[in-house]
């Protein structure tokens, strides 16, 4: 087996499922009884800002009651002990990777615990509701929205992600359905670069065929076992 120095990991909702945070595609495409177009697009926000702000206020409050699970903790251990390059690219907007102790985390779809001011473009840490239109801590304007990437918006830091992928010796995808681009395309990008690819997921995902290896099971079992393997062989 070639020596692994640099690892890129992509995580999705499946990593947080066992912490009690619902995945997106488990309930027939509905997010807590809402259509995706209503609560996760700029058009939906323009149409009914109260609905969207309330929806994210609920989710922001909910994630603050959840705890990291064994999969988050294993990835944090890998981050602490891995001497090569490591990037945990997460599509999740919760902060469970960080609360488990991981540092090398990139939130490509933004973060629930940030508010983004559409007036001055500053992002501020935010744990409270937005429904009452609080002022931006930086400029004082009441123009805050959730700092979450909606459909039709560009995910964050794509250049950094592709730069990490180009240097990677292993690409691992954990708990994601492979349904949403550009993240769903990383595995093919990795393959084109000749990088070995591994999928850890509860069930076969839409992208499974692209991976060199797929392991099926709950993240809280698969991820700690894989991290032990990688650190043991380092
Ligand atoms: N362990 C491992 N995998 C799991 C577990 C678990 N305990 N529970 C569920 N899964 C898997 C499911 O089988 C599914 O393949 O996690 C995946 C979750 O898929 P989605 O709900 O589609 O979530 P995700 O892939 O993160 O969605 C991507 O879509 O709507 C957008 O912006 C949103 O970031 C999100 C993006």
């Amino acid at each position: 087996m070639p020596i692994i120095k640099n690892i890129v990991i992509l995580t999705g909702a499946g990593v947080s499922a066992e912490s009690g945070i619902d995945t997106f595609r488990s309930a027939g495409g509905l997010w807590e009884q809402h259509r995706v177009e209503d609560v996760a697009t700029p058009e939906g926000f323009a149409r009914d800002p109260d609905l969207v702000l309330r929806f994210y206020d609920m989710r922001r409050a909910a994630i603050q009651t959840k705890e990291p699970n064994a999969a988050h903790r294993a990835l944090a251990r890998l981050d602490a002990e891995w001497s090569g390059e490591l990037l945990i690219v997460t599509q999740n907007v919760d902060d469970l990777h960080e609360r488990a102790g991981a540092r090398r985390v990139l939130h490509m779809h933004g973060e629930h615990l940030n508010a983004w001011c559409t007036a001055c473009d500053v992002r501020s840490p935010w744990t409270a509701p937005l429904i009452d239109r609080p002022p931006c801590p930086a400029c004082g304007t009441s123009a805050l929205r959730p700092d979450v990437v909606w459909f039709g918006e560009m995910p964050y830091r794509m250049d950094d992600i592709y730069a990490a992928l180009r240097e990677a010796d292993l690409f691992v995808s954990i708990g994601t359905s492979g349904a949403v681009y550009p993240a769903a395309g990383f595995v093919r990008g990795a393959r084109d670069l000749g990088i070995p690819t591994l999928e850890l997921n509860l069930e076969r995902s839409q992208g499974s065929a692209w991976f060199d290896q797929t392991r099926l099971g709950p993240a809280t079992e698969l991820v700690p076992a894989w991290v032990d393997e990688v650190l043991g062989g380092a």
Side-chain angles (χ1 to χ4, degrees):
M1 190 164 116
I3 294 172
I4 300 169
K5 260 185 67 194
N6 303 335
I7 306 176
V8 173
I9 298 171
L10 172 69
T11 70
V15 166
S16 295
E18 290 163 87
S19 292
I21 300 178
D22 283 345
T23 61
F24 296 100
R25 285 167 188 80
S26 48
L30 287 179
W31 291 5
E32 292 169 8
Q33 313 315 315
H34 294 291
R35 295 187 324 147
V36 168
E37 307 84 71
D38 290 337
V39 293
T41 62
E43 295 78 15
F45 185 50
R47 215 166 29 238
D48 192 346
D50 279 7
L51 173 82
V52 175
L53 292 176
R54 232 179 261 118
F55 175 79
Y56 285 94
D57 282 355
M58 261 174 44
R59 293 186 73 96
R60 191 180 311 104
I63 65 155
Q64 294 178 68
T65 69
K66 310 297 182 190
E67 297 297 330
N69 64 47
H72 298 107
R73 287 194 295 274
L75 292 177
R77 175 171 164 240
L78 181 66
D79 184 8
E81 297 183 16
W82 188 253
S83 58
E85 295 294 330
L86 174 80
L87 185 63
I88 301 171
V89 178
T90 188
Q91 299 166 91
N92 298 343
V93 291
D94 65 54
D95 63 339
L96 297 183
H97 283 306
E98 287 88 344
R99 275 202 270 143
R103 293 285 164 267
R104 291 180 273 183
V105 181
L106 186 162
H107 283 271
M108 65 178 292
H109 290 169
E111 297 178 61
H112 261 326
L113 298 183
N114 270 352
W116 172 24
C117 179
T118 55
C120 73
D121 203 31
V122 167
R123 288 166 169 86
S124 306
W126 203 268
T127 53
L130 290 172
I131 187 72
D132 293 329
R133 313 298 199 276
C136 165
C139 75
T141 311
S142 288
L144 295 173
R145 60 162 267 187
D147 187 18
V148 167
V149 175
W150 288 325
F151 287 94
E153 296 181 326
M154 186 58 85
Y156 296 156
R157 297 179 57 190
M158 294 304 296
D159 289 351
D160 292 338
I161 297 171
Y162 287 123
L165 269 175
R166 278 194 296 275
E167 297 303 317
D169 307 303
L170 177 65
F171 172 72
V172 186
S173 169
I174 307 174
T176 174
S177 60
V180 175
Y181 284 81
F186 293 165
V187 60
R188 269 179 278 177
R191 275 180 77 106
D192 289 347
L193 291 161
I195 301 164
T197 54
L198 167 66
E199 173 178 55
L200 309 177
N201 210 46
L202 192 58
E203 56 199 8
R204 290 186 75 80
S205 71
Q206 292 186 24
S208 280
W210 296 100
F211 286 89
D212 296 317
Q213 200 193 125
T214 294
R215 298 181 191 177
L216 300 181
T220 54
E221 289 173 20
L222 294 184
V223 180
W226 172 70
V227 168
D228 281 349
E229 215 174 278
V230 173
L231 290 175

